[in-house]
Amino acid sequence: MTSSNPVLPPDRLARFHHDVIEWFGGAARDLPWRRDASAWAVMVSEFMLQQTPVSRVLPVYETWIERWPTPTDLAAEPVGEAVRAWGRLGYPRRALRLHAAATAIVERHGGEVPTSFEDLLALPGVGDYTAAAITSFAHGGRAVVMDTNVRRVFARVVSGVEFPATAVTAAERRIATGLLPDEDAHVWAAATMELGALVCTARSPRCAACPVTDLCRWRAAGYPEHDGPARRGQAWEGTDRQCRGRLMAVLRDASAPVLKARLDAVWPDDAQRERALDGLVADGLVEPVGTDAFALPGT
Ligand code: SF4
């Protein structure tokens, strides 16, 4: 890294890189998408890991990648099978987008996940973050990978605050770019992400086990409390999301179209259930069959 880095003085920056990467060498979890870091494996894992913890992703990922080891394998099946295999991961529109991305990869790139950042970004469901993750983790490229874990670590160590802003700011992106090492940027990306996931967690950071305790500005400042907008809780009971989840579970478990009466039986509030079902149809996650039945799309 150059001596004129605007984010941290060169000696602190060099220590930050060294200490986090060295820690990662001994602490990195043995995850299947790291063992086989093909572009497709990384892509599938990143779609699944959005807003979902590793422990819930692991079994679904293993089954998925065994059944569909390439984009071509997934694209050859009806989209409803992708929705079914998504199981209880939540936010099942991600399954639709992953299937659409696989189809686009087959149509535009002969079944190979593209390597250029622009081609990745042009795929359905692939934004800056996922394109950067594939570039970094699969291709060993130099990209600014900013997930919630990385953002929290940088907010604490560099900016001295407990949490970053709700959405990525230009200032934050400048900091993350300034921190990116010239070499081993892909290891740095994975290491900072792992530090946020395992040590510098949102609610109870384990500072005693942290490799950068002495560099952390939030800690040095005495852990000032977050003064930004309240962070959103994950309400679930009684929500439309819970209702959608119940309806999807019935359809996933069925091998044939399901009569509406069976869906009516799993949620007592008529208005909420109808709204949820309409939403699932509008999202393309469910298809009406005839006048009184529903199924996963294309199944
Ligand atoms: S010292 Fe604590 S708050 Fe600072 S980066 Fe490490 S774990 Fe996070």
Side-chain angles (χ1 to χ4, degrees):
M1 187 51 68
T2 63
S3 59
S4 58
N5 189 284
V7 177
L8 284 179
D11 59 324
R12 288 177 71 92
L13 184 61
R15 266 202 297 139
F16 194 12
H17 290 154
H18 173 271
D19 293 353
V20 173
I21 288 176
E22 186 179 69
W23 167 84
F24 183 62
R29 286 169 293 179
D30 177 27
L31 299 172
W33 48 87
R34 286 187 183 151
R35 247 175 278 140
D36 161 26
S38 69
W40 176 239
V42 171
M43 188 169 171
V44 170
S45 70
E46 291 298 342
F47 268 70
M48 290 183 175
L49 288 164
Q50 289 160 23
Q51 306 180 69
T52 312
V54 166
S55 57
R56 286 184 55 209
V57 165
L58 276 172
V60 180
Y61 171 86
E62 301 267 20
T63 308
W64 185 288
I65 213 76
E66 194 177 322
R67 178 171 175 185
W68 298 307
T70 68
T72 307
D73 297 315
L74 177 59
E77 292 222 33
V79 64
E81 287 307 314
V83 173
R84 194 193 306 280
W86 199 257
R88 294 168 49 82
L89 278 186
Y91 302 105
R93 272 174 286 185
R94 293 179 292 171
L96 294 182
R97 294 194 199 109
L98 186 49
H99 188 276
T103 305
I105 289 168
V106 171
E107 288 170 356
R108 297 178 206 161
H109 305 286
E112 296 292 326
V113 179
T115 50
S116 98
F117 198 83
E118 290 67 33
D119 286 346
L120 286 168
L121 264 188
L123 295 173
V126 175
D128 265 334
Y129 167 74
T130 307
I134 296 168
T135 300
S136 184
F137 303 145
H139 303 311
R142 192 165 182 273
V144 177
V145 183
M146 296 177 76
D147 80 336
T148 52
N149 288 314
V150 174
R151 295 179 62 212
R152 189 170 57 251
V153 169
F154 291 172
R156 291 175 179 174
V157 175
V158 178
S159 306
V161 297
E162 185 176 13
F163 295 116
T166 316
V168 177
T169 63
E172 225 186 317
R173 188 163 285 283
R174 267 197 305 279
I175 289 174
T177 304
L179 292 172
L180 199 63
D182 292 333
E183 292 175 8
D184 293 333
H186 61 294
V187 185
W188 168 252
T192 46
M193 196 179 283
E194 195 78 331
L195 185 64
L198 298 183
V199 177
C200 193
T201 57
R203 292 211 179 80
S204 44
R206 297 189 300 117
C207 303
C210 178
V212 291
T213 318
D214 58 330
L215 295 173
C216 179
R217 287 181 173 154
W218 184 52
R219 180 172 181 273
Y223 303 110
E225 266 184 42
H226 178 63
D227 64 358
R231 300 167 78 247
R232 261 188 315 134
Q234 292 279 323
W236 174 250
E237 274 305 309
T239 60
D240 283 10
R241 275 193 64 217
Q242 187 187 25
C243 179
R244 284 166 63 105
R246 290 256 180 95
L247 299 174
M248 288 300 291
V250 173
L251 293 162
R252 273 199 314 271
D253 291 345
S255 53
V258 169
L259 285 175
K260 173 82 166 29
R262 269 187 65 201
L263 297 175
D264 291 346
V266 298
W267 195 264
D269 181 330
D270 291 344
Q272 191 177 26
R273 190 183 61 246
E274 293 304 317
R275 184 170 69 235
L277 189 55
D278 285 349
L280 291 170
V281 172
D283 288 345
L285 286 160
V286 171
E287 269 178 6
V289 179
T291 54
D292 205 25
F294 293 86
L296 297 181
T299 59

